[in-house]
Amino acid sequence: MSEPIELTKITIIQKDTANKVREAYIADFPEPVVYGVHSGVREFYGVDTEVEHPSTLDHIVAAAGG
């Protein structure tokens, strides 16, 4: 088996529990990636948030397509 070429360090902070907002600090990037819930995701989980942000699922789909 070959050696890994990259290990990613990610820190996730729950910023606003009521609105499901999380910030992900990825490696050496200074600005966080902000996650939350929106539209169909809110409906699926039965939450009514005041603000909407992309979900982690959105990020996974974008990464697979990109």
Side-chain angles (χ1 to χ4, degrees), residues 2-3 6 9 12 15 17 19 21 25 29-30 36 39-41 45 50 52 55 57 60-61 65-66:
S2 63
E3 294 294 317
E6 177 72 12
K9 180 180 178 187
I12 299 175
K15 294 297 285 188
T17 303
N19 286 300
V21 177
Y25 290 87
F29 293 94
S39 57
V41 178
Y45 286 109
E50 294 176 17
E52 295 185 67
S55 69
L57 179 60
I60 293 168
V61 171

Side-chain angles (χ1 to χ4, degrees), residues 1 3 21 24 30 33-36 39 41 48 53 56-57 60 62-63 65:
M1 180 182 279
E3 294 294 317
V21 177
V33 177
V34 179
Y35 293 109
S39 57
V41 178
D48 185 23
H53 291 286
T56 51
L57 179 60
I60 293 168

